[in-house]
Amino acid sequence: MTLDESLAATYIKPMTIRPILTVPNPVLKQRSKPVAKVTDETRALMDDMLETMYAAPGIGLAAIQIGEPLNVIVMDLSKDDEDPNPQYFVNPEILEQAEEQKPYEEGCLSVPDVFDEVERSARVKLRYLDYHGKEVVEWAEGLYAVCIQHEMDHLNGVLFIDYLSRLKRKRAVKKVQKAEKFAENIKDAS
Ligand code: K1U
Ligand code: ZN
């Protein structure tokens, strides 16, 4: 191995698509912890999360969804005909929120193929650290506000189905378990 190859093997970590945890995995109910400092290790986690989110595909992902209990979120709200626009949030906080509530039909990669309406604040003022550890303070509205509130709930162990009736929540979990069992049986049979 040349010196360049050895350095590359040491410092260039390929991005990895990681398995996404699904309900009723108890890890999803854990509270995530703040990140002490944005380091290369944090950036490697965010790279893996983005890769995992794009592959799913989804528009957001919280670290706990891949089993890492850290206050880290990735998001890309760009449309199919637009350039990618990855966004990274370390230790996000909501500083202010509008009283106005808006409904949105939400989905979640940890509750695949289940969609239902949730009401959230129409606008939230955020503070977070970006990919480089720089502090950002800004207002989010529209889908950005919906998605960041959904993802920040994940950091507190809260899923969008927790806002639904007990019956709907039970049905959602059963649907996911049934689909996973079916997929497992197909895999075993082939
Ligand atoms: O699991 C997650 O937290 C990601 C979730 C984000 C989200 C979606 C809708 C409302 C609030 C939060 C998803 O990405 S679900 C999949 C999804 O919305 C989507 C997938 C492909 C194309 C467009 C959207
Ligand atoms: Zn989710």
Side-chain angles (χ1 to χ4, degrees):
M1 196 187 278
T2 66
L3 182 60
D4 276 355
E5 282 166 344
S6 160
L7 283 170
T10 309
Y11 293 107
I12 303 172
K13 185 189 161 290
M15 287 184 249
T16 310
I17 295 172
R18 313 252 294 255
I20 296 176
L21 307 182
T22 54
V23 288
N25 192 318
V27 172
L28 290 167
K29 303 306 290 175
Q30 274 184 29
R31 274 179 181 271
S32 296
K33 297 255 160 55
V35 171
K37 188 171 185 261
V38 179
T39 62
D40 285 344
E41 199 184 342
T42 322
R43 281 183 278 274
L45 170 65
M46 292 192 279
D47 293 345
D48 282 358
M49 288 172 62
L50 200 73
E51 197 75 351
T52 303
M53 183 197 80
Y54 284 140
I59 56 173
L61 194 75
I64 194 66
Q65 292 180 275
I66 57 165
E68 303 281 355
L70 289 169
N71 288 346
V72 177
I73 289 165
V74 297
M75 200 183 289
D76 190 334
L77 303 178
S78 62
K79 305 214 175 72
D80 286 346
D81 60 347
E82 293 173 348
D83 288 337
N85 181 29
Q87 288 178 273
Y88 307 88
F89 305 84
V90 178
N91 299 340
E93 295 167 81
I94 292 180
L95 302 176
E96 286 179 54
Q97 60 188 69
E99 273 184 30
E100 183 193 350
Q101 300 276 304
K102 275 204 171 159
Y104 191 86
E105 181 99 346
E106 298 194 10
C108 181
L109 299 173
S110 295
V111 196
D113 298 318
V114 173
F115 301 89
D116 216 321
E117 202 168 84
V118 175
E119 287 212 343
R120 299 187 188 270
S121 281
R123 286 170 296 285
V124 289
K125 187 179 181 182
L126 300 170
R127 176 165 60 206
Y128 61 91
L129 303 176
D130 69 10
Y131 191 82
H132 305 287
K134 184 172 161 274
E135 185 180 283
V136 179
V137 176
E138 67 189 9
W139 280 91
E141 63 180 327
L143 183 54
Y144 184 12
V146 173
C147 197
I148 195 68
Q149 290 176 82
H150 173 116
E151 300 308 333
M152 287 180 71
D153 269 354
H154 275 300
L155 307 183
N156 291 315
V158 175
L159 299 168
F160 86 99
I161 54 170
D162 294 332
Y163 296 107
L164 308 179
S165 67
R166 199 163 359 145
L167 179 65
K168 278 190 171 185
R169 191 161 55 248
K170 242 176 132 176
R171 277 193 187 147
V173 174
K174 276 217 165 119
K175 182 177 177 178
V176 174
Q177 287 178 309
K178 197 174 163 191
E180 286 177 354
K181 257 190 205 133
F182 182 74
E184 195 61 39
N185 287 340
I186 298 256
K187 213 176 84 191
D188 288 346
S190 63

